[in-house]
Amino acid sequence: MSAESGAGRPEAPRPQRSAAGNVAFAAGVLLVLATAALGAFAAVALLGRAVDPGPLSGVVPDEGHHALIVGGIAAGGLTGLMLPVILFGMVRGNEDTPRVDPAAAARKVLAVLVFDLLLLIVSFLVAQLGWFLPAQVTAVVAVFAVGFSWMPLAMVPWERLGLGGGFGRPRGPSASHQAQ
């Protein structure tokens, strides 16, 4: 008996992508990265206008502006990254990963926007440290606070609340046999 798992079993040949498939994949990756970068720039521009001469100028100290910039980069980048991925999921599918239906896509977009709101609230709260700390320290704290703000959400047992599903379960036609 061999120590390797799957020894003695013939390996199924992996399908090869065509050159057109590789080009389409590369174009999709570039599109997603471009929308993520543009989303980050757009969010930073909107937050900059809201803070400098805008309605938040009296609430956010000068030393806390960097924290809002960090939050804008995170929220805009996440939105720019996830929206094309969700839209691709609506039009692309196969037997292993079926297409995302419009209701599920709308729930995913809503979840991304709620998470963006969480990131902006965290960055706004960290920006308040600018009343006490220098700008550089506030920016470093903002990077860690915004970067790790998703950790409590990852620890919530969403499946027990009836809000999870789909992440750990197999998908496709054989999923009903494996779930039993």
Side-chain angles (χ1 to χ4, degrees):
M1 181 177 264
S2 175
E4 297 179 22
S5 65
R9 290 187 209 156
E11 290 187 24
R14 295 179 64 175
Q16 296 291 325
R17 282 193 198 145
S18 66
N22 287 336
V23 170
F25 178 77
V29 168
L30 288 176
L31 177 70
V32 168
L33 292 176
T35 57
L38 290 175
F41 281 121
V44 167
L46 289 173
L47 283 174
R49 288 189 182 160
V51 171
D52 291 334
L56 295 177
S57 61
V59 182
V60 177
D62 290 336
E63 286 79 15
H65 285 193
H66 292 2
L68 287 179
I69 299 298
V70 169
I73 291 170
L78 176 71
T79 304
L81 178 75
M82 291 305 295
L83 287 182
V85 170
I86 293 169
L87 292 175
F88 285 153
M90 289 180 66
V91 297
R92 174 106 168 108
N94 58 28
E95 62 274 351
D96 293 329
T97 56
R99 290 182 181 174
V100 177
D101 63 334
R107 284 192 306 270
K108 289 179 184 204
V109 169
L110 182 63
V112 168
L113 295 178
V114 167
F115 189 69
D116 286 345
L117 183 63
L118 171 77
L119 293 177
L120 293 177
I121 289 171
V122 168
S123 67
F124 179 76
L125 291 175
V126 173
Q128 299 307 307
L129 293 175
W131 295 110
F132 310 108
L133 299 174
Q136 294 83 3
V137 175
T138 305
V140 170
V141 171
V143 167
F144 284 103
V146 170
F148 291 114
S149 63
W150 60 271
M151 291 293 246
L153 293 174
M155 294 180 194
V156 173
W158 297 109
E159 292 80 19
R160 289 187 181 176
L161 299 173
L163 298 172
F167 293 115
R169 293 186 304 189
R171 298 182 341 194
S174 64
S176 61
H177 297 293
Q178 291 175 359
Q180 294 175 357

